[in-house]
Amino acid sequence: MALRNIVKLGDPILYKKSRVVDKFDEKLATLIDDMTETMYNGNGVGLAAVQVGILKRVIVIDVGDGLMELVNPEIIFEEGEQISQEGCLSLPNKWGNTKRPKKVQVKAQDRNGKWQIFTGEDLKAKAFCHEIDHLEGILFTSHLVEGETLHG
Ligand code: NI
């Protein structure tokens, strides 16, 4: 495993759409392992491949109850609403209150291509939404509640 550099705000890649993964090979496994190490090293709860400069639909999340690796993730259900502080490893030390669903269900493939269903509430729901947004080139700053500005 290796640490990778995290792309920061200002890099245009963060606004690009990531491509569907169709090869479940050793290169994908290495990317996932490196992303995991990079996320933990940065004390983040999630990371998308675009944040290490790779436009592939891959995210890793750990909100404190174990690592989740999601390839080609899609939100298939969402419910409710939450307003809470949100940040991003690509916007270091910047925070803002966002509005997100309270609960989401996500389908995704694992590193071998097997489909799984994940359910998340509260922080985990927010993490799913935040990381899947990255795959569309969307940052959490697009979800700030009305009147909110970033603070650090
Ligand atoms: Ni982020």
Side-chain angles (χ1 to χ4, degrees):
M1 292 211 284
L3 282 180
R4 301 209 186 183
N5 285 325
I6 297 180
V7 171
K8 301 298 191 315
L9 187 68
D11 191 319
I13 198 171
L14 287 174
Y15 301 102
K16 292 189 175 162
K17 195 169 164 159
S18 294
R19 290 181 293 272
V20 170
V21 173
D22 55 7
K23 272 193 227 136
F24 296 85
D25 55 7
E26 202 51 47
K27 201 173 165 189
L28 176 66
T30 301
L31 172 64
I32 292 171
D33 290 340
D34 288 357
M35 284 171 59
T36 300
E37 190 178 345
T38 304
M39 172 183 73
Y40 287 138
N41 183 68
N43 295 313
V45 299
L47 193 73
V50 60
Q51 293 181 275
V52 295
I54 307 288
L55 285 169
K56 287 184 180 173
R57 300 185 81 83
V58 179
I59 64 176
V60 293
I61 290 173
D62 187 344
V63 297
D65 61 357
L67 177 66
M68 294 179 285
E69 306 172 352
L70 293 86
V71 179
N72 299 326
E74 281 174 52
I75 293 173
I76 53 173
F77 172 81
E78 59 179 69
E79 170 179 274
E81 165 181 311
Q82 59 174 319
I83 291 173
S84 61
Q85 287 276 330
E86 191 161 334
C88 178
L89 289 174
S90 293
L91 284 73
N93 305 311
K94 296 286 183 194
W95 306 90
N97 276 310
T98 60
K99 184 152 79 174
R100 296 287 195 180
K102 171 96 172 142
K103 183 177 178 181
V104 299
Q105 214 166 51
V106 175
K107 72 167 186 176
Q109 287 168 284
D110 67 12
R111 61 172 68 198
N112 301 309
K114 185 173 181 272
W115 287 96
Q116 296 171 289
I117 303 277
F118 297 86
T119 302
E121 281 187 60
D122 302 317
L123 175 59
K124 197 180 281 188
K126 180 165 62 170
F128 282 134
C129 294
H130 178 117
E131 301 310 330
I132 292 171
D133 266 356
H134 271 302
L135 306 181
E136 298 299 320
I138 297 167
L139 301 176
F140 79 91
T141 48
S142 299
H143 295 276
L144 294 176
V145 295
E146 204 183 328
E148 176 78 348
T149 50
L150 278 187
H151 46 92

